[in-house]
Structure formats: structure tokens, C-alpha cells
Amino acid sequence: LLGVYLDKFLFIKLWGTRVSLVLGRLCTLFAEGAWRKNTNDADTNPQRAYLLGYQISNGSFAFNASYLKQTDSFEGTRYQTDGTKISNLRDSLNIGLSTSIGSQHSLSLNLSRQHDTAGQKSTFASLSHRWRINSKLNLNSFVTQKRATTERSTSFGMQLTYQMGDNWNSNARYQN
């Protein structure tokens, strides 16, 4: 499969291509290249990003892995509310595993390692569980840990979702 996209909004032009190779039930391999140009920028060279990935799904089990590499200013300059500049992502490696346990439970584990333009390294790990209590009620719980060069944090939470109709649901969420 081959895909191409073009986008233009405000002062940004974005274009790219994606190639996917489906190897039957074995796996799907994909590669994507994207180029971004800010028309207000004095730099005439477009910024680049490349993504390589692998996916496999077999019944109740799924695995995916991807690697993203981009030039330092592909995301453009971003600022926090106090005006300080935010470091952009330079590269990331992501791995995900998920499995279904019967018809009511599923577990997923996601791991990520990232580097930013300031040289900071971050590692994320999250484990989530979904319990389908009945046809209208689901309980999702998760725990996430982040390790960065200067900080470590752990968060956990729960979300209860009730399906009220075909297009409506209600959620209650707690996160710490």
C-alpha cells in the first residue's frame, strides 16, 4: 500500500509519503517520510521526519514497534505559557504489547524511550487494564512511570465509562 499527503495551513506546508507492506498474517511493515516547511522562516530547507514500524496481531495478542527520527526543528518552535522555549523531540523508540483475557479483560504494556533537542533522555512505561463489566460499563485502570534525566514520577488512575446510547457515554476519572 502506498499513500501520499499534502497539507497547507497558515504559514506551514507539510507533505509526506507512507509505504505499508502487509505480509499476510505474519506482520505489517511500514515506513513514512514527512517534510515540513514554515514559509515565514528564513531557512529555506524543509525539515524532515522518518518513521519505521512493525505490527503483528494474532487473535488475542498484538505487538507493535516503531522508531521515529526527525530534524531538530521539524515540530517548529514551541513555547510554554511563561514564554520559555520547549525542547523538541529528536527521536523515539516505542514498543507496545496487548492481550485479551477472555471477552471481559485486556492488558497492555507500552514502553517508550525518547531524546529531545536539549539532550534530555526520557523513558516511559505504562501498564493498563480494561475490564468490560457488562455491555454498557467499562473500568480502565493504569499505572505509568516516567524517568527523565532530572526527574522521576509515577502516576496511576482509573476511569469508569458508562455507554448511555449509541453516540453518548458518561465518564468518571481519577488520576494521581
Side-chain angles (χ1 to χ4, degrees):
L1 303 169
L2 176 65
V4 177
Y5 57 90
L6 301 164
D7 252 330
K8 181 174 184 331
F9 51 99
L10 296 176
F11 303 106
I12 297 172
K13 294 178 182 178
L14 180 67
W15 60 99
T17 185
R18 181 179 175 121
V19 175
S20 296
L21 179 61
V22 179
L23 301 174
R25 295 175 56 183
L26 183 61
C27 69
T28 301
L29 302 172
F30 59 90
E32 184 171 347
W35 295 265
R36 179 183 189 274
K37 176 73 177 117
N38 185 341
T39 57
N40 280 346
D41 198 352
D43 184 7
T44 58
N45 296 320
Q47 302 303 316
R48 298 170 309 284
Y50 305 102
L51 176 70
L52 296 173
Y54 172 86
Q55 298 172 329
I56 186 169
S57 180
N58 186 358
S60 64
F61 174 78
F63 171 80
N64 63 69
S66 64
Y67 178 72
L68 171 71
K69 175 75 174 159
Q70 61 188 27
T71 55
D72 289 355
S73 54
F74 180 81
E75 296 174 343
T77 305
R78 301 178 303 142
Y79 296 94
Q80 296 183 32
T81 55
D82 65 0
T84 56
K85 186 176 176 181
I86 298 173
S87 295
N88 291 328
L89 181 66
R90 178 172 287 151
D91 69 277
S92 69
L93 175 64
N94 301 292
I95 297 172
L97 295 163
S98 65
T99 187
S100 296
I101 305 165
S103 63
Q104 292 184 297
H105 297 274
S106 63
L107 287 172
S108 59
L109 173 66
N110 293 292
L111 306 169
S112 178
R113 180 200 48 104
Q114 302 177 346
H115 293 100
D116 67 20
T117 55
Q120 300 293 313
K121 296 178 183 178
S122 301
T123 304
F124 301 89
S126 71
L127 178 65
S128 61
H129 172 257
R130 179 176 178 253
W131 175 24
R132 183 177 177 227
I133 299 169
N134 60 39
S135 64
K136 294 188 175 222
L137 192 61
N138 290 300
L139 178 64
N140 299 306
S141 56
F142 64 89
V143 62
T144 302
Q145 184 169 46
K146 174 185 177 183
R147 291 183 180 195
T149 307
T150 58
E151 68 178 283
R152 289 185 181 189
S153 64
T154 302
S155 66
F156 61 91
M158 299 176 77
Q159 179 173 333
L160 188 63
T161 304
Y162 180 74
Q163 189 69 37
M164 299 170 62
D166 290 340
N167 298 314
W168 297 91
N169 64 39
S170 177
N171 295 292
R173 182 180 175 102
Y174 172 77
Q175 183 173 346
N176 185 355

